[in-house]
Structures are given as C-alpha cells and as structure tokens.
Amino acid sequence: MSAPPSSGQAVARTGTPPSARHGWVQAAVTVLAGVIVMGVLAALGLWAAGGTGIPDNGFPRVVAATVVMAGGGSVRLAGDAGALADTRAGLTAMPLSVTLAGALVIATGFLRPLRHRAMAGASELAGWAARIAVLWLAALVGLALAARQTFTVPLGNGTIGDIGDIGDLFGVNPSIGYTTDLAPTLLFGFLWLAGVLVLALLASRGAPLPARLLRRQESVRPAAYAMVVLLLACVCVGVVIGLVVAATRGHPARTLAVVLLALPNVIWPAFTIGLGATWNGRVDGPFGLPMPHLLDQVLRTPDVSTLDLHSLAQYDGRVWWLVAVDAVLTVGAAFAMAARSPARIRPWRHAVHMALALVAAVLTICLICRISAHYGLSLIGIGDLGGGLSGVLFLEPRLWSALGLAALWGLVAGFAGGLLATRVRPRSEVP
C-alpha cells in the first residue's frame, strides 16, 4: 500500500494549498474571546471610574455600550425635558484601550489556524473572514440591544436649586440617556473588523497570502509590522507612565480607569504632538478629558485652545522629552522594518516606505482619537440653563500639517533605520 501524499504533493496535484481547520466553531471561539476580553476590560475601567454607582442597575448596560463604541459602533445620547424645554446631546469617542484589546485577541484568533502555511487561496481567506464577520455582527446586535437606558437629571439639588424651582414651575423634568443606532453600528463595526483582519494579515510574517499578493509583501508587510510595533510601543510606554503616576501622585483609581479605558486616546495624540502636530480643543462644563490634568488645564479656556509642544511647555517644560522619545521610537520602528526587508532594498527606499507607513499611522490616529461631547438644556428657547447642566468637550487635530510632519519624520527615520540595518546585518546577507 502506498503512502498518503504529502501536503506539498497535494498542492502540486490540485494547484491549491490545503485548507486549515477554521470553521464555525473556531470563528465562534475567536469572536467570543474578543467580546469577553473587551467586556472585562470595560467593566474594570468603569468600576475604577466609579461606574458601579449608576442608577437603575445600569452598570451592565453601560459596559455593553462601551464595548459597542470600542468595536466601532454608534451610541447616541438622547434627552427629553418636557413640552417647554429642549435638550441637546451628542457623543463621539472610542475607548481605545478596549478597542486595542479586542483587536489583538480577534487578530490572534484569525491568524492562529493559518500559521505554518506558505500560501492560501483568496476564497479560503475570504470564507474564514466571513465566518468571523457574521458572528461578530451578531454579537454587536446583541450588545446594541442591551446598551440602552435613560436617566432622570435632578434639578433641585446642589448648585442648581434655583433651576429646580423654575423646572417645577414649568413642569420640566429633564432626562438623558443613550441608545444605539443599529444600522451605523453594523456598518462601522464591519469596517472595524475588516481593518483589524487586513492589518493582521499584512503585519504577520507567517500568515499566508494569495499567490497574486506575494510579490507585494516585501514592501508592505515590513512597513505594516513596523507601525504595529510603533503603536504598541507607545502604549507600553503609557502603561509604565500610568503605573508610576498611580503609585506616586495619588488618585490610583482614576489613573487606572484611564489606563483600562482610554490609554491610547492619551498616548497616541501625545506621540503626534511629539512629531510637531497640533490639536485644537476645548473643555467646558462638567465634562473632563480622559487625559492628565495638564491637558485639561490647557484646554479649559473660554475659547478654542491650541495643543502643541509650545503651549504645553508653558505649563511643564518636560514635554520637550516627547521629541526625544518619538525619535527613538520612530528610528526603532524603521530599523525593525528594514531588518524584516530583503537586504537588496536601499536605505532611500526604506525612507519612502517608512514615510508612507507613518503617514498612514498618523492619519489613523487623527481619525480615531477625535473626541466630541456636548449636552445642553434650554427652557422656552432661551439658551442653556447652565448650573452644571450644559457643557462641551472636543479635541481634534490639524490634519494636513500632522500628515506632512509624519512624512518628514518617516523619511528621516526610514533612512536612518535602513543604514542601521545594513550595518548590523550579517555580511553574507549584503548583496
């Protein structure tokens, strides 16, 4: 009896690579693991922020809303104040610590069945991704239906007692809550998942690609890997800083809440500021930024504030260290990119690849780190009543200058990283 054909012989006879085990069960495990990790991280962060005191046993629903937002979903604030009053509310933000944790878990589950493969067909990869997408969207539907609640805003307590008297006179009983827009949630949740899976394929050296894309991997994969390493290195630096701050400056629960919920919201804009980028923002009313007190102090002004190295240095000169840290991180990422690239690629090509990759990374940061929130209550059309019942918060980048600076930094860092890789590469690998 003849021996069974090897996998290489099977490929030669059929013309297609053998399929890995990645059916519905594996897809369900991947999605479930991602949702659980995101839910646990969101719950711990909200607990550290004091979220367990939410009325009407609303803590689980707030956790669900946080996971929906982290997965690219749309959570809309809603309010009602009776016939003679009007409420206006809006929220745009992503808890990026939760987002990052879920992305890493789902990407790992997506790549695991594909390891030890040299090549995979496009239909096989599409089918495996489609299984994960179907179950991910189903999970988002369930979370979106659970993430809905309304709270009554008391008018007769504290600093707004006078407003409470007016409210009683006119029958104003303001309430605010949140709900999910299902269609945008499914659309942006699908786009979020697609981005995670595509980036996982591009950044992983061991993940198989269709034959038509293999010729492109020499220039794309090392750059994608370098950007993933760069962004994760920023987060690791932020974790260390957060732990030091929690241990030495007090308020450990508040610091822990920022680390668990919104650390990339802090550290990735700080990285772009170190590159020279500028962000505009303002904080007014009861809102607060998930950022150190220094940034809140700079932005809590009557007008729109400018957030850059110069404005921050007026409060704390140590922010200039951001430039040195960014230089180390970008050159290190460029070196990692060059070390993964073929030896024949010249330093000037590494510079071009790094510039394009860093522009893409900074563009992503600028898009996902925007923060916008507002809430206001007006009575018979006369402005905001104030008294702690209105506020505005926003933070947004000056996009084009940030991208231009990223391109410049990428060119310099890419050339330097390419030269370093050439010097440390074994002599036998240099053409």
Side-chain angles (χ1 to χ4, degrees):
M1 183 172 65
S2 60
S6 64
S7 59
Q9 293 172 334
V11 173
R13 292 180 183 178
T14 63
T16 58
S19 298
R21 293 186 59 189
H22 40 59
W24 287 102
V25 174
Q26 290 80 7
V29 171
T30 297
V31 172
L32 184 61
V35 172
I36 290 176
V37 167
M38 295 171 77
V40 169
L41 202 64
L44 290 174
L46 291 169
W47 168 77
T52 53
I54 296 173
D56 301 329
N57 298 318
F59 183 72
R61 289 186 284 274
V62 173
V63 171
T66 303
V67 175
V68 169
M69 295 172 63
S74 175
V75 175
R76 175 171 52 88
L77 295 181
D80 180 45
L84 298 178
D86 180 49
T87 58
R88 299 176 307 280
L91 174 64
T92 302
M94 289 184 71
L96 289 178
S97 292
V98 182
T99 300
L100 180 61
L104 291 174
V105 171
I106 291 176
T108 301
F110 174 69
L111 294 175
R112 183 175 176 81
L114 303 174
R115 67 192 188 280
H116 309 313
R117 301 274 304 282
M119 187 172 22
S123 60
E124 178 189 353
L125 291 176
W128 172 222
R131 290 183 177 92
I132 295 178
V134 169
L135 295 176
W136 170 250
L137 293 179
L140 278 184
V141 170
L143 290 168
L145 294 177
R148 302 183 179 191
Q149 191 171 16
T150 301
F151 306 98
T152 299
V153 180
L155 291 178
N157 298 321
T159 62
I160 55 177
D162 294 338
I163 300 174
D165 296 337
I166 299 175
D168 292 338
L169 177 63
F170 287 97
V172 175
N173 297 301
S175 63
I176 187 171
Y178 56 90
T179 184
T180 50
D181 293 326
L182 192 56
T185 292
L186 295 180
L187 173 61
F188 291 112
F190 174 78
L191 294 177
W192 177 87
L193 179 68
V196 169
L197 300 186
V198 170
L199 184 59
L201 277 177
L202 294 179
S204 174
R205 173 185 285 180
L209 289 176
R212 294 180 180 179
L213 299 180
L214 289 176
R215 67 182 66 181
R216 303 289 183 184
Q217 67 176 343
E218 290 184 354
S219 59
V220 175
R221 276 193 154 170
Y225 170 79
M227 291 304 99
V228 171
V229 169
L230 175 62
L231 295 178
L232 291 180
C234 290
V235 173
C236 291
V237 171
V239 170
V240 173
I241 295 174
L243 294 178
V244 171
V245 170
T248 60
R249 300 287 182 88
H251 307 291
R254 186 172 63 186
T255 304
L256 182 62
V258 173
V259 171
L260 293 174
L261 292 174
L263 182 60
N265 298 77
V266 179
I267 204 69
W268 288 345
F271 169 75
T272 66
I273 291 174
L275 298 180
T278 300
W279 292 66
N280 294 328
R282 185 187 174 204
V283 178
D284 181 46
F287 292 119
L289 282 170
M291 293 185 177
H293 176 68
L294 170 63
L295 302 186
D296 187 85
Q297 187 177 8
V298 174
L299 295 176
R300 196 172 288 277
T301 58
D303 299 319
V304 176
S305 301
T306 298
L307 195 64
D308 57 13
L309 286 169
H310 179 71
S311 63
L312 291 175
Q314 294 178 351
Y315 292 85
D316 191 337
R318 291 175 295 180
V319 299
W320 289 107
W321 281 102
L322 284 175
V323 180
V325 172
D326 279 14
V328 172
L329 291 176
T330 52
V331 173
F335 173 79
M337 179 191 70
R340 282 201 165 205
S341 302
R344 64 179 180 275
I345 296 181
R346 301 299 182 185
W348 69 267
R349 290 185 61 189
H350 289 307
V352 174
H353 295 164
M354 185 66 183
L356 294 175
L358 192 57
V359 167
V362 170
L363 175 62
T364 301
I365 292 172
C366 291
L367 293 178
I368 67 177
C369 289
R370 296 168 180 261
I371 300 175
S372 175
H374 67 274
Y375 177 71
L377 173 65
S378 62
L379 186 63
I380 56 176
I382 304 177
D384 284 331
L385 293 182
L389 289 179
S390 64
V392 62
L393 178 157
F394 74 90
L395 184 66
E396 57 186 25
R398 294 183 184 175
L399 183 60
W400 295 110
S401 61
L403 298 183
L405 289 165
L408 180 61
W409 274 78
L411 288 172
V412 176
F415 191 82
L419 289 178
L420 288 174
T422 301
R423 291 181 178 274
V424 303
R425 199 187 300 269
R427 194 176 292 271
S428 59
E429 295 185 20
V430 180

